Amino acid sequence: MAALFNKFQQAVGVLAKSTTFAKNPRQLQFEADINKLFMYTSYNRLGRKAEETDAEEIIEMAGKASLSEQQKQVQENIHYQVENFCSLMDGILLPDVRKQESVSQSTSPPRRRSGLTFAIGGNNAFPTSDKPLVPETKPLTLAEVSQRLMDQIGYTLEIKPSVIPHKDAGQGCFIKGEADVGTVLAFYPGVIYSPAFYRYIPGYPKVDSQNSYLITRYDGTVINAQPWGLGGESREAWTGSYKPAVKTDTKTAENGSDRLWKALSKPLEGSGKVKEVLERRNPLAFGHLANHPAKEMTPNVMICPYDFPLMEKDLRPYIPNVCFGDSGEVKMKRFGSFWFRTGGKNGLDAPVLKTLVLVATRALRDEELLLNYRLSNSKRRPDWYTPVNEEEDRRRWS
């Protein structure tokens, strides 16, 4: 397996420098990233019994497939893993309705509850727009769910002090257990904003002055993970509402710019839509806590855009994101068994949630997740930031 991975690594380096990529720097970097993700996630899907001919075929495909074809394959590879994760989470958290009905009959209660009542929970029999159905789940803590997930897939995430040697590193996100290259290790949780809704990001226009948990996809979609925090201990109707702490400098007088900022600022007061029922005990919803590597350290995960098809309602509780307005939903077309964005007029439309996941770029075991932040070199960067690849940073924000 190691020999096959070396082939992939060599191919990634060659194809990323190919002259067939777009000449526009930003588009070139986007295509290079998709190319890497195509190879990593396809390699992962081969499994540990992969043969050399399989690896060579994927490498050949990566060199010939168009960008749109690679994007479709990446989406399918990621969705395959997400489906498996969600199925395992259902097994961990959802009660056995048949067993409960059997107990109900044997104890002869005054009023027999149906399987449907058990499925949705007795206190949520009459949902409203303010109180959507919150299915009954097992009374497990986040820590217990995390351990059970690890028992089944061989890894989970844990939050503990970072090994990055600078004072601002704080907490880090660590894999506990082991995972192969191309594995979806984490979701990037939080509230999704399209460019049309930027002004609603808390603190606008200085959105990043007091929030280090913002991330931007290539298409301009912003995800604010600050409201998610460290998750929770239940399944609940969640809007992403929160009130960010406002830091003020008492040593200096407020100037005109500060007053303008406050006037333009509009704190988040909800998603603007019906609340989403999300599982806050999601052991993989910690992508926002991955740190940037220090000097002489190498990233071991990379960001991957994932357009979650909202028609997959059974999976929805485990996707830790909500939209502000309709910012995360875009129309997709169906091709075979999966949904993809397309400009064609044929096929059925389906909305998606424009999210992000973190994918392993090598085999990992009991170590901190390190993500290349690729901060813009056109602005002053923090003292702790050491570019992994200055050229990639430049292309990403060109």
Side-chain angles (χ1 to χ4, degrees):
M1 197 68 177
L4 294 185
F5 180 60
N6 288 335
K7 281 181 174 288
F8 275 93
Q9 289 289 60
Q10 292 170 7
V12 164
V14 172
L15 290 172
K17 298 176 182 178
S18 172
T19 56
T20 61
F21 285 118
K23 300 302 181 183
N24 177 279
R26 182 181 176 87
Q27 182 66 15
L28 186 151
Q29 190 58 55
F30 172 66
E31 293 189 19
D33 287 349
I34 291 297
N35 192 260
K36 290 180 183 179
L37 290 165
F38 172 83
M39 298 184 68
Y40 289 146
T41 59
S42 297
Y43 175 82
N44 180 275
R45 197 162 178 180
L46 287 177
R48 298 189 176 185
K49 297 181 180 180
E51 297 181 357
E52 187 170 352
T53 53
D54 297 323
E56 291 175 346
E57 183 178 354
I58 290 178
I59 293 171
E60 184 178 358
M61 290 173 59
K64 295 180 178 180
S66 67
L67 174 64
S68 61
E69 289 170 336
Q70 291 188 46
Q71 284 180 287
K72 290 175 184 178
Q73 189 61 54
V74 169
Q75 289 294 306
E76 186 170 340
N77 292 343
I78 296 297
H79 190 68
Y80 175 80
Q81 293 191 50
V82 170
E83 280 186 309
N84 182 56
F85 164 73
C86 294
S87 176
L88 293 174
M89 288 291 285
D90 272 348
I92 292 170
L93 284 167
L94 296 188
D96 187 331
V97 174
R98 290 172 298 179
K99 181 178 180 181
Q100 290 193 40
E101 285 189 330
S102 176
V103 172
S104 176
Q105 291 174 344
S106 64
T107 56
S108 301
R111 182 172 179 270
R112 181 180 181 277
R113 297 174 68 192
S114 69
L116 176 61
T117 305
F118 277 109
I120 64 176
N123 296 327
N124 295 283
F126 303 99
T128 66
S129 59
D130 291 332
K131 295 182 179 180
L133 288 177
V134 179
E136 182 178 339
T137 58
K138 295 176 183 177
L140 300 173
T141 65
L142 172 56
E144 291 171 330
V145 173
S146 182
Q147 183 58 51
R148 294 191 185 192
L149 180 67
M150 181 179 172
D151 292 341
Q152 297 197 45
I153 64 175
Y155 71 91
T156 189
L157 299 179
E158 58 181 350
I159 308 304
K160 57 185 182 181
S162 174
V163 299
I164 305 294
H166 64 74
K167 63 181 180 62
D168 296 322
Q171 297 290 94
C173 180
F174 292 74
I175 178 175
K176 181 181 179 183
E178 56 184 312
D180 291 328
V181 62
T183 299
V184 173
L185 292 176
F187 296 92
Y188 201 96
V191 183
I192 300 169
Y193 298 84
S194 72
F197 292 94
Y198 281 174
R199 68 182 299 270
Y200 293 97
I201 300 175
Y204 177 88
K206 298 182 179 181
V207 295
D208 59 350
S209 63
Q210 298 177 45
N211 185 356
S212 58
Y213 300 108
L214 294 167
I215 196 167
T216 308
R217 294 186 8 154
Y218 274 100
D219 60 11
T221 301
V222 171
I223 302 178
N224 177 16
Q226 195 172 58
W228 187 265
L230 295 176
E233 295 292 343
S234 65
R235 183 169 299 194
E236 62 186 65
W238 194 72
T239 64
S241 298
Y242 81 116
K243 293 183 178 180
V246 178
K247 300 177 183 178
T248 57
D249 186 350
T250 57
K251 295 182 179 180
T252 59
E254 186 181 75
N255 59 31
S257 176
D258 291 331
R259 287 193 295 272
L260 177 61
W261 171 29
K262 288 185 177 181
L264 291 174
S265 247
K266 183 169 183 178
L268 178 63
E269 297 176 350
S271 67
K273 298 185 65 179
V274 176
K275 298 176 181 178
E276 295 284 359
V277 176
L278 300 184
E279 181 52 68
R280 298 271 282 155
R281 293 166 293 181
N282 187 332
L284 302 187
F286 295 113
H288 57 306
L289 296 177
N291 276 320
H292 180 80
K295 190 175 182 180
E296 308 301 331
M297 301 178 78
T298 305
N300 53 28
V301 295
M302 68 182 294
I303 285 294
C304 177
Y306 171 50
D307 294 340
F308 172 74
L310 286 168
M311 289 190 68
E312 302 274 10
K313 296 187 181 300
D314 290 343
L315 314 184
R316 182 65 182 94
Y318 305 113
I319 308 302
N321 302 94
V322 294
C323 297
F324 189 94
D326 61 355
S327 59
E329 299 181 12
V330 295
K331 296 296 182 181
M332 304 288 278
K333 304 287 185 180
R334 185 164 190 165
F335 288 85
S337 62
F338 199 70
W339 298 86
F340 301 105
R341 181 166 43 213
T342 178
K345 296 183 179 179
N346 297 323
L348 302 174
D349 286 344
V352 300
L353 201 63
K354 301 169 75 171
T355 71
L356 287 169
V357 295
L358 271 57
V359 172
T361 58
R362 62 172 174 81
L364 299 175
R365 180 173 184 173
D366 297 328
E367 56 191 286
E368 183 170 3
L369 302 190
L370 301 175
L371 172 68
N372 182 3
Y373 284 8
R374 282 184 182 164
L375 299 184
S376 173
N377 51 15
S378 65
K379 299 179 180 179
R380 182 180 178 182
R381 297 182 290 202
D383 293 338
W384 52 259
Y385 183 81
T386 301
V388 173
N389 186 315
E390 193 74 70
E391 180 62 21
E392 286 189 359
D393 289 359
R394 184 189 65 79
R395 287 199 300 258
R396 171 64 179 87
W397 297 103
S398 65

